Amino acid sequence: MGKDNVPFHTVVFPSSQIATGEDWTLLHHISACEYLNYEGGKFSKSRGVGVFGNNARDTGVAPDVWRYYLLSSRPESSDTIFTWANFVACNNSVLLANIGNFCNRTLKFLDKNTTYAGIVPTADPALIAAGADSVHRRFIDDVNELLTSFIEHMDAVRIKAALSIARDISARGNQYLQECNTTNALFTEQRTQCDTVMALAVNLVYLLSALFHPFMPATADSICRQLNAPSRLLPDSFALDLKPGHIIGKPEHLFTNIDAKKVDQWLAEFGGSASDEPKQESKKDKKKKAKAAAAAKTVQEA
């Protein structure tokens, strides 16, 4: 809700409810935002400055990309700015290179046409047990710490912060794959280690489907389809819910690259210069207008 609507919904409307003397459900919590500005100026539908719902559709960019970028830029504590450069960077550097990369890399490694023939392996209990001194146990503990923070932010309606934590969990998955040097060599030379990595990684992909569902529902559904698993509720802790022997579906790309040239194209199409803002009239100009209007009125009366 925009900050200009707060007085009505927190004072005027509740007062009206109380005044009726009836047993209405009253407001107990509200999440309000500051303003989202556009490329250094303000959105203006009348002057064609800014991108609106129909414009977003016409760009051909998937709705989930819009949802992610706008929520990640949500002006929760201060005004924020929509820029096409940041929009494209968010898609390419965050959605594609972080979240999309982790999910696709994991599922491709498990795919029926590669090492595991699409079958989820068994993690070594000794490597993931509580207190184990292993890269795998540290990974689990880190994910649980981030998951707890995510839940706390969501409960407090700090949506922007929660979304950032979800992104960090995906980034931790990418880091884990790198730490374990997840390659075909690991599969052939250290099978137990590789099985553990894949069991944890594929279950983190499943967890990400729950984390991102409120923000990117189509993406979450795609992840579950690729995992050949039902939609899941958000858990309190990271667990291996995809059991050994589970067969995943066909891996697909979650996101596609947006050409950086689109930035200039969309800027030209939707405006974006501060010069597009109407100039405020000076006191001198206002006086001149008032005198001209008075003179015109005198002429008409004569």
Side-chain angles (χ1 to χ4, degrees), residues 257-269:
N257 185 71
I258 297 177
D259 192 329
K261 294 178 181 177
K262 285 289 187 180
V263 172
D264 291 334
Q265 176 188 326
W266 287 329
L267 272 172
E269 188 173 351

Side-chain angles (χ1 to χ4, degrees), residues 18-73:
I18 294 171
T20 66
E22 299 182 38
D23 186 25
W24 296 105
T25 298
L26 297 175
L27 176 75
H28 59 82
H29 187 89
I30 193 168
S31 176
C33 294
E34 304 292 327
Y35 294 132
L36 177 67
N37 295 314
Y38 178 79
E39 294 285 354
K42 293 182 179 180
F43 282 87
S44 175
K45 202 163 190 177
S46 62
R47 298 194 314 280
V49 176
V51 58
F52 299 89
N54 58 316
N55 308 130
R57 178 198 60 204
D58 294 342
T59 62
V61 177
D64 273 11
V65 175
W66 285 101
R67 290 170 64 97
Y68 182 92
Y69 176 69
L70 292 173
L71 287 168
S72 67
S73 304

Side-chain angles (χ1 to χ4, degrees), residues 149-170:
S149 180
F150 174 87
I151 294 171
E152 290 173 352
H153 284 306
M154 287 294 283
D155 286 344
V157 200
R158 292 191 290 266
I159 297 174
K160 185 176 179 179
L163 189 55
S164 177
I165 295 294
R167 181 187 66 219
D168 291 344
I169 292 175
S170 175

Side-chain angles (χ1 to χ4, degrees), residues 28-259:
H28 59 82
H29 187 89
I30 193 168
S31 176
C33 294
E34 304 292 327
Y35 294 132
L36 177 67
N37 295 314
Y38 178 79
E39 294 285 354
K42 293 182 179 180
F43 282 87
S44 175
K45 202 163 190 177
S46 62
R47 298 194 314 280
V49 176
V51 58
F52 299 89
N54 58 316
N55 308 130
R57 178 198 60 204
D58 294 342
T59 62
V61 177
D64 273 11
V65 175
W66 285 101
R67 290 170 64 97
Y68 182 92
Y69 176 69
L70 292 173
L71 287 168
S72 67
S73 304
R74 190 171 185 255
E76 294 183 350
S77 57
S78 62
D79 292 352
T80 57
I81 300 175
F82 175 102
T83 72
W84 287 110
N86 286 343
F87 176 75
V88 171
C90 177
N91 177 83
N92 295 347
S93 300
V94 178
L95 296 180
L96 181 61
N98 177 357
I99 301 163
N101 177 68
F102 172 69
C103 293
N104 193 253
R105 183 179 177 186
T106 299
L107 298 186
K108 282 282 189 180
F109 204 85
L110 283 172
D111 186 30
K112 65 180 181 179
N113 297 317
T114 57
T115 50
Y116 284 96
I119 301 172
V120 175
T122 302
D124 185 339
L127 294 176
I128 64 174
D133 183 18
S134 71
V135 64
H136 314 289
R137 185 64 229 183
R138 287 190 291 274
F139 169 68
I140 294 172
D141 291 341
D142 287 349
V143 170
N144 277 328
E145 183 178 344
L146 288 167
L147 180 57
T148 297
S149 180
F150 174 87
I151 294 171
E152 290 173 352
H153 284 306
M154 287 294 283
D155 286 344
V157 200
R158 292 191 290 266
I159 297 174
K160 185 176 179 179
L163 189 55
S164 177
I165 295 294
R167 181 187 66 219
D168 291 344
I169 292 175
S170 175
R172 184 64 181 88
N174 277 311
Q175 181 186 357
Y176 176 59
L177 294 182
Q178 290 297 112
E179 287 175 340
C180 295
N181 192 26
T182 311
T183 62
N184 289 335
L186 186 69
F187 177 81
T188 56
E189 298 170 11
Q190 301 181 63
R191 183 61 183 270
T192 299
Q193 288 281 349
C194 195
D195 287 355
T196 302
V197 172
M198 283 296 102
L200 293 181
V202 74
N203 275 283
L204 185 69
V205 172
Y206 199 20
L207 174 61
L208 290 176
S209 72
L211 293 172
F212 285 114
H213 192 273
F215 314 109
M216 299 187 291
T219 299
D221 290 344
S222 177
I223 291 173
C224 289
R225 184 175 64 252
Q226 294 178 52
L227 289 171
N228 188 30
S231 298
R232 61 165 304 163
L233 296 175
L234 181 67
D236 292 326
S237 61
F238 180 42
L240 304 185
D241 293 318
L242 294 179
K243 303 301 181 184
H246 175 83
I247 300 175
I248 67 169
K250 182 180 179 181
E252 304 169 6
H253 290 291
L254 293 174
F255 308 101
T256 57
N257 185 71
I258 297 177
D259 192 329

Side-chain angles (χ1 to χ4, degrees), residues 1-10 12 30 32-35 79:
M1 177 184 294
K3 60 185 176 183
D4 50 344
N5 292 321
V6 170
F8 174 80
H9 288 281
T10 59
V12 178
I30 193 168
C33 294
E34 304 292 327
Y35 294 132
D79 292 352

